[in-house]
Amino acid sequence: MSASLREVREARKFGLRELARALEVDPRLLSQWELGVRVPPVEEVARILGYLRVDRAVTSRILSLAQHVEGPNWLDSNPSDLPAALTAVMQCERSASLITNWSPLIIPGLLQTPDYARALLAASDIKAEEIDARLVARLKRQRILSGYDPVRLKAIISELAIREVVGDADIMSDQVDHLLRLAVTSNISVRIVPNEVGYHPGKIGMFALYEFSADSAIVYIEHHHASAFINELEATDSYRKLVKLLQGKALTEDASLGLLREAAR
C-alpha cells in the first residue's frame, strides 16, 4: 500500500512536499506513509487518491489494502513471496542518508555475497520456489552502496557472524574476502565486536537504524517469522544509545580489518 501511494504521486508528477502542502499534511508524515513505516488513516489515503484523481480501479485496490493495515509502529508476520516489510526496508534503504546495522549472528544482508545469501535462504523455512525471488531482491538492495551518491553504511558485526560457517568453508571464505573489499570503500564502515567482550544488550537481536536528512529516524527489527518498524522518538533514541554502546565495544576499523584478514586465511 505504501509503495502504491508513492507510485501514484510520482505518476502524477507531484513532489512529496508539493503534495503535502496541497493537503496541509506534514511532509515528514507523508514521507513515513510512503515508506510504509507509519500507517495513514483510510480517510487520508482516500483524500490523497482523490486529490491526485486516481482512477476508480486503482483507488479501490489501494483503499482495500489500507483497510487491512493497522498501528503506528507496525508488525509484519507470516511473510509471503516478497512481504510488505521487505518493500518498506527497500524504501528506507534507498531514502536513508545513513544506515547503522547491528548483526550479532549473520553478515548483514547489504554485505552478503550471492552464495552466502542463498545458503541462508535455503536453510530457512522459505519455500524453494520463493528463494530466487528473495535472492534477487536482496542483491538489488545492495546497489544503494555503489554508484553515484551511495548510501553511507556503518556495519557493526559480531565476531561470531564471521566465524560461524554458513553453507561451507568456501562460501565463508568468499564472504570474508567480500567484506574486506567493501570495508575499504569510502561510504562503508565495518567494525567487529570481538567474542571476548562478554554479554551486552546487543546480543538480544539484530536491528537497523535508518537516519534521514529531513525525516525522523526509523528502527527496523527482524526475527524468524516477524519484523517490526519503530519510529517513536523515545524508542529510536534508545537504539541510538545502544549503537554507541556497541561502537564502544567494537574494534577500530583498522583492527577489524586485521581480524577479517586473519579469518580469511
Side-chain angles (χ1 to χ4, degrees):
M1 189 268 290
S2 57
S4 296
L5 287 178
R6 180 173 181 170
E7 287 170 5
V8 295
R9 173 179 60 77
E10 292 179 344
R12 299 306 190 277
K13 308 297 183 184
F14 270 84
L16 186 141
R17 292 185 179 277
E18 179 186 9
L19 180 59
R21 282 195 302 270
L23 297 173
E24 298 182 343
V25 173
D26 186 329
R28 291 174 297 180
L29 181 59
L30 181 57
S31 174
Q32 290 171 355
W33 289 347
E34 290 189 357
L35 287 170
V37 295
R38 198 169 183 89
V39 180
V42 175
E43 57 270 22
E44 288 295 333
V45 175
R47 196 158 71 95
I48 291 170
L49 299 176
Y51 185 84
L52 294 174
R53 297 184 179 181
V54 178
D55 67 63
R56 183 177 299 178
V58 174
T59 294
S60 178
R61 176 177 62 82
I62 295 176
L63 286 178
S64 177
L65 291 171
Q67 289 166 354
H68 293 85
V69 184
E70 298 178 354
N73 294 318
W74 62 275
L75 177 74
D76 177 65
S77 60
N78 192 26
S80 60
D81 183 22
L82 288 179
L86 179 54
T87 300
V89 165
M90 295 171 74
Q91 298 261 15
C92 285
E93 289 173 344
R94 286 196 295 263
S95 305
S97 56
L98 171 64
I99 301 171
T100 302
N101 208 150
W102 159 244
S103 192
L105 298 173
I106 61 174
I107 306 301
L110 289 173
L111 302 179
Q112 293 173 7
T113 65
D115 286 340
Y116 182 96
R118 182 178 289 280
L120 282 178
L121 292 167
S124 69
D125 63 353
I126 299 172
K127 296 177 182 178
E129 59 268 23
E130 297 176 1
I131 289 178
D132 284 345
R134 296 288 188 97
L135 180 61
V136 169
R138 186 164 301 184
L139 298 179
K140 282 183 177 179
R141 287 167 52 198
Q142 297 177 359
R143 295 175 184 174
I144 64 167
L145 299 177
S146 58
Y148 175 75
D149 193 24
V151 173
R152 292 167 55 219
L153 172 67
K154 292 183 178 180
I156 311 171
I157 308 171
S158 169
E159 182 181 351
L160 180 61
I162 307 300
R163 305 294 186 184
E164 185 78 17
V165 175
V166 172
D168 57 36
D170 288 339
I171 288 174
M172 284 306 302
S173 177
D174 289 344
Q175 176 62 72
V176 174
D177 287 343
H178 185 60
L179 282 178
L180 281 167
R181 289 190 294 271
L182 293 175
V184 296
T185 58
S186 60
N187 61 307
I188 299 175
S189 167
V190 175
R191 296 181 62 186
I192 309 297
V193 176
N195 290 334
E196 59 264 25
V197 300
Y199 176 79
H200 54 80
K203 291 193 174 184
I204 294 174
M206 63 188 298
F207 67 87
L209 172 65
Y210 303 108
E211 298 182 73
F212 308 91
S213 56
D215 295 328
S216 55
I218 294 167
V219 173
Y220 174 63
I221 304 170
E222 184 177 8
H223 200 254
H224 169 60
H225 207 61
S227 53
F229 291 86
I230 300 170
N231 59 3
E232 294 170 345
L233 182 60
E234 184 176 352
T236 55
D237 280 348
S238 176
Y239 279 92
R240 290 182 195 273
K241 291 176 183 177
L242 182 52
V243 166
K244 288 183 180 180
L245 182 148
L246 292 168
Q247 289 174 329
K249 295 183 178 297
L251 300 173
T252 65
E253 290 182 6
D254 286 343
S256 296
L257 284 172
L259 188 150
L260 288 170
R261 292 188 185 101
E262 183 271 327
R265 294 172 186 167

